[in-house]
Amino acid sequence: MTMMRCLRVLVLCVVTVAAADPTTTPTPTTTATPVVNHIQNCYMDSETTNVLRLERALHALSTKVESVESQLRQSEERLSSMKSELSDKDAFFKNITRSLATQATDVAYEVSLSSDTNQPQETHLKFDHILYNQGDAYNKATGIFTAPVSGTYLFWAYVMSNGKPNMDVRIHKDKKLIGLGHTRLGSQYGVASITTATHLHGGDQVWMSIKGTGVVPLRGDGFSSYGGTIIRSN
């Protein structure tokens, strides 16, 4: 645009000089020098304008670069914060997983009869006094232990008769007999004991029963007890 103005000024100067004295022949000194000077000034103005424009463009570009760099720094800070939060959450969930795994594999119970009782044959023997019940897998209301996880379990029982009954003490896994103890007729306080190990799947149920003649009297007050624990989970 500046160069176009310079060209228009150049043409105007030539026309003006020619119109001033038609009979006079312009000399290089009288006509060229002002025009050249004006062209040089126009050129300098044009270059100055271009430089200023370039400087403004560079400044705008520099501002944009600084803005982008600032955004990148903010993004890096947010990413670092997110990584830290994820690391904390990962550690938190690992701790929960370890805790749950420990709880799942730490299963044991020990229960007893709190008082003398007459036990009907072949029904669930309910030990009502809980001495220990890690994992809450034994239900005293039903007398049933439910395996929370699969694994190898160990069970034991010491059941004392109250009188002179002939009785069998049994440990069942669902409907399967896995342990058997016996007292002979004539023993006032005979004790039937069982120790047995078996594999259980998660959800399998273990319970005890008594078999004898009619209703079987059992000694309570802690003399009859029963328990179990997991040996190894798998």
Side-chain angles (χ1 to χ4, degrees):
M1 186 66 69
T2 303
M3 291 300 297
M4 291 298 295
R5 288 199 299 269
C6 290
L7 290 175
R8 286 198 295 271
V9 171
L10 174 61
V11 172
L12 181 61
C13 289
V14 172
V15 172
T16 302
V17 172
D21 190 1
T23 62
T24 304
T25 303
T27 63
T29 304
T30 58
T31 59
T33 299
V35 172
V36 170
N37 289 339
H38 186 75
I39 291 174
Q40 289 176 344
N41 291 335
C42 288
Y43 177 78
M44 293 299 295
D45 291 342
S46 176
E47 289 300 311
T48 300
T49 301
N50 289 337
V51 170
L52 291 175
R53 288 177 178 174
L54 182 59
E55 288 179 349
R56 286 196 294 270
L58 288 175
H59 178 72
L61 181 60
S62 176
T63 301
K64 290 181 179 180
V65 169
E66 290 177 356
S67 177
V68 171
E69 288 178 345
S70 177
Q71 293 176 3
L72 286 175
R73 285 193 296 269
Q74 293 176 2
S75 297
E76 290 176 352
E77 291 174 357
R78 287 196 296 269
L79 182 60
S80 177
S81 176
M82 291 174 62
K83 286 182 178 179
S84 178
E85 291 178 359
L86 287 174
S87 178
D88 293 341
K89 290 180 179 179
D90 184 59
F92 174 72
F93 285 118
K94 284 182 178 179
N95 288 334
I96 289 180
T97 301
R98 284 194 295 267
S99 177
L100 291 176
T102 300
Q103 292 179 14
T105 55
D106 186 11
V107 180
Y109 66 101
E110 178 72 22
V111 293
S112 67
L113 293 177
S114 61
S115 59
D116 294 350
T117 185
N118 293 317
Q119 177 67 22
Q121 292 192 67
E122 301 187 29
T123 59
H124 291 190
L125 177 54
K126 302 173 185 178
F127 292 83
D128 60 335
H129 181 56
I130 295 179
L131 301 170
Y132 187 70
N133 193 17
Q134 178 64 36
D136 294 323
Y138 177 79
N139 186 338
K140 73 175 184 178
T142 61
I144 295 175
F145 167 79
T146 303
V149 295
S150 298
T152 301
Y153 288 78
L154 178 68
F155 297 96
W156 57 88
Y158 305 91
V159 180
M160 179 179 288
S161 64
N162 188 11
K164 299 180 180 181
N166 186 25
M167 71 174 185
D168 291 337
V169 177
R170 301 177 176 186
I171 297 179
H172 307 264
K173 180 178 75 172
D174 295 324
K175 295 182 180 181
K176 181 181 179 181
L177 182 66
I178 60 172
L180 178 64
H182 177 75
T183 60
R184 292 184 298 175
L185 182 65
S187 177
Q188 176 66 32
Y189 295 112
V191 176
S193 63
I194 304 172
T195 302
T196 184
T198 188
H199 182 273
L200 298 179
H201 295 288
D204 283 349
Q205 294 184 334
V206 175
W207 51 282
M208 288 191 63
S209 70
I210 301 294
K211 185 175 182 180
T213 303
V215 175
V216 180
L218 301 178
R219 187 79 168 90
D221 297 325
F223 288 101
S224 298
S225 62
Y226 159 59
T229 186
I230 189 170
I231 300 173
R232 179 180 176 183
S233 61
N234 54 23

